[in-house]
């Protein structure tokens, strides 16, 4: 029987911290792919598809900072975004069950499987809980007004077997990400080797960094790795999204056939070990840009390359 973990808490912003790290960190994080979805209600609440995708992208990045701060040796890559068609006032338990096996989320699960997502996360309109997840599972959710880094780090942390730890506070600054202290949280999992604000944020019985670390490989190998490149209309992997493109060469007409307009792409995700060569003109002409996976998940923003943003007309993926 699966264990469901609930969290009711007040959420605060990311604090400016002075931290002393006493433990060594891993040189290369173990990557897992997370697919995010939301309901129409949530899209409306946050300003539409692009707005909620952009919010998820920025708060997802803070969640990766939580891992880097804590020494979990984990990095989460965004596998893609999806808007489901269902909206209702059911509670958190109904939504989590639906995400796991219900027909309402079946298309999202198919989408996530196609993109190699190891974990799936759904932003829901429920109000009876801030978030809900399966302990050691692959599904997590957040409720209305809770699309933010604390919930991503906390609920997806549950899927890595992280447990609740009420009272794990760092002085007056707040509680570790699996705790709820003073109505705010610091961007750390508990770790007896880390000091924040003069307080050691873990002990022999509170070490969620170890829990996440020990489960990292299990979670990262749930699904096969992403087997293609995805282009996005906007920076930070938001906006309209192309189909997964396998290795090969693509002229402008071939790009348009998979939803990529001329001179319109601004970011892409690149599988580990792959290279993306982008051409300014159709038929592989004009200025050439060569993109590689970055060190933390194979994601590339085009404005980082001089002249590339909104300037792709053909591409070679190899």
């Amino acid at each position: 029987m699966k264990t469901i973990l609930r969290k009711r808490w007040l959420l605060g912003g990311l604090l400016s911290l002075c931290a002393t790290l006493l433990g060594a960190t891993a040189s290369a994080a173990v990557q897992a792919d997370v697919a995010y979805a939301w309901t129409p209600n949530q899209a409306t609440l946050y300003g539409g598809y692009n707005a909620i995708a952009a919010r998820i992208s920025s708060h997802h990045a803070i969640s990766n900072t939580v891992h880097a701060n804590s020494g979990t040796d984990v990095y989460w890559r965004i596998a893609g975004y999806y808007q489901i068609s269902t909206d209702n006032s059911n509670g958190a338990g109904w939504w989590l069950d639906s995400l796991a096996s219900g027909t309402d989320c079946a298309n999202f699960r198919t989408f996530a499987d196609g993109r190699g997502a190891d974990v799936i996360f759904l932003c829901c309109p429920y109000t009876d809980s801030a978030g809900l997840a399966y302990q050691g599972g692959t599904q997590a959710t957040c409720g209305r007004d809770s699309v933010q880094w604390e919930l991503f780090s906390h609920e997806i942390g549950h899927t890595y077997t992280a447990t609740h730890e009420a009272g794990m506070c760092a002085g007056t600054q707040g509680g570790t990400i699996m705790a709820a202290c003073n109505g705010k949280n610091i961007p750390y999992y508990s770790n007896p080797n880390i000091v924040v604000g003069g307080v050691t944020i873990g002990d022999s019985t509170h070490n969620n960094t170890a829990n996440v670390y020990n489960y990292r490989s299990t979670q990262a190998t749930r699904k096969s790795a992403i087997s293609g490149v995805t282009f996005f209309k906007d920076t930070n992997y938001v906006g309209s999204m192309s189909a997964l493109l396998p290795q090969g060469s693509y002229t402008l007409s071939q790009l348009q056939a998979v939803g990529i307009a001329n001179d319109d792409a601004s970011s892409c995700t690149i599988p580990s070990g792959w290279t993306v060569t982008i051409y300014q003109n159709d038929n592989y002409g004009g200025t050439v840009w060569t993109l590689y996976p970055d060190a933390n998940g194979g994601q590339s923003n085009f404005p980082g390359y001089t002249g590339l943003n909104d300037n792709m007309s053909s591409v070679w993926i190899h």
Side-chain angles (χ1 to χ4, degrees), residues 25-115:
T25 57
S27 59
V30 176
Q31 178 181 293
D33 296 309
V34 182
Y36 288 94
W38 53 81
T39 67
N41 170 290
Q42 290 297 86
T44 299
L45 178 66
Y46 286 96
Y49 183 105
N50 286 355
I52 192 171
R55 182 180 180 87
I56 288 171
S57 176
S58 63
H59 284 260
H60 174 99
I62 298 173
S63 292
N64 277 324
T65 299
V66 174
H67 287 292
N69 289 347
S70 307
T72 61
D73 194 28
V74 165
Y75 183 90
W76 292 334
R77 179 169 67 171
I78 295 173
Y81 305 105
Y82 192 89
Q83 181 168 312
I84 69 169
S85 59
T86 299
D87 261 328
N88 61 53
S89 58
N90 289 333
W94 183 93
W95 278 103
L96 184 61
D97 289 342
S98 182
L99 178 61
S101 58
T103 58
D104 301 271
C105 297
N107 289 340
F108 173 46
R109 291 194 299 273
T110 299
F111 166 85
D113 286 345
R115 291 183 170 268

Side-chain angles (χ1 to χ4, degrees), residues 54-229:
R55 182 180 180 87
I56 288 171
S57 176
S58 63
H59 284 260
H60 174 99
I62 298 173
S63 292
N64 277 324
T65 299
V66 174
H67 287 292
N69 289 347
S70 307
T72 61
D73 194 28
V74 165
Y75 183 90
W76 292 334
R77 179 169 67 171
I78 295 173
Y81 305 105
Y82 192 89
Q83 181 168 312
I84 69 169
S85 59
T86 299
D87 261 328
N88 61 53
S89 58
N90 289 333
W94 183 93
W95 278 103
L96 184 61
D97 289 342
S98 182
L99 178 61
S101 58
T103 58
D104 301 271
C105 297
N107 289 340
F108 173 46
R109 291 194 299 273
T110 299
F111 166 85
D113 286 345
R115 291 183 170 268
D118 303 292
V119 177
I120 55 177
F121 192 101
L122 180 63
C123 303
C124 309
Y126 62 74
T127 59
D128 59 326
S129 181
L132 198 63
Y134 286 115
Q135 180 82 1
T138 61
Q139 301 90 14
T141 67
C142 69
R144 182 180 171 87
D145 303 316
S146 298
V147 181
Q148 54 198 73
W149 66 272
E150 291 99 329
L151 266 294
F152 298 166
S153 302
H154 182 103
E155 300 303 342
I156 301 176
H158 279 316
T159 74
Y160 279 75
T161 75
T163 59
H164 286 160
E165 48 188 17
M168 282 304 300
C169 301
T172 62
Q173 297 188 63
T176 52
I177 200 61
M178 304 307 295
C181 303
N182 303 320
K184 55 190 177 182
N185 293 89
I186 59 174
Y188 291 84
Y189 292 100
S190 57
N191 188 328
N193 296 315
I194 293 179
V195 175
V196 178
V199 176
T200 302
I201 59 168
D203 54 37
S204 60
T205 60
H206 297 90
N207 191 350
N208 270 315
T209 290
N211 291 337
V212 174
Y213 179 90
N214 291 334
Y215 206 70
R216 70 198 192 287
S217 296
T218 297
Q219 201 67 294
T221 56
R222 296 277 194 180
K223 300 289 183 179
S224 299
I226 293 175
S227 58
V229 172

Side-chain angles (χ1 to χ4, degrees), residues 7 16 22 52 69-70 106 139 163 173 197 224 237 250 252 269 297 299 313:
K7 189 71 177 175
S16 175
L22 301 180
I52 192 171
N69 289 347
S70 307
Q139 301 90 14
T163 59
Q173 297 188 63
S224 299
Y237 326 106
Y250 299 87
L252 177 58
T269 57
Q299 303 182 138
S313 296

